[in-house]
Amino acid sequence: KDVDYNLIVIEHSGVSDSLCGQGLGKKLVNSVVEYARNNNLKIIASCPFAKDVLEKDDHAQDVYLG
């Protein structure tokens, strides 16, 4: 299997139950977007939460592939 070193794959994201509802999951996904942007990388997401965040907001369209 070939490895694409220019790609970030978000397979799963999560926060502790005690931290739910504080927006930390969205901050985590947005941090990945900034990292990808700063390092000329692209993102794909199989994690339903990350996909939802990335698809609802146009801020990530330059790095999000789907």
Side-chain angles (χ1 to χ4, degrees), residues 2-58:
D2 292 329
V3 176
D4 186 343
Y5 292 102
N6 296 311
L7 187 66
I8 297 173
V9 179
I10 304 176
E11 294 180 351
H12 178 75
S13 62
V15 296
S16 171
D17 288 343
S18 64
L19 299 173
C20 284
Q22 298 180 30
L24 295 178
K26 187 172 182 177
K27 287 180 184 179
L28 176 65
V29 173
N30 288 335
S31 292
V32 174
V33 169
E34 288 304 314
Y35 180 85
R37 191 173 285 133
N38 291 336
N39 291 279
N40 200 30
L41 304 171
K42 299 295 182 184
I43 301 169
I44 60 172
S46 57
C47 168
F49 176 81
K51 282 182 79 97
D52 188 56
V53 170
L54 293 165
E55 290 174 0
K56 280 186 176 177
D57 195 340
D58 290 341

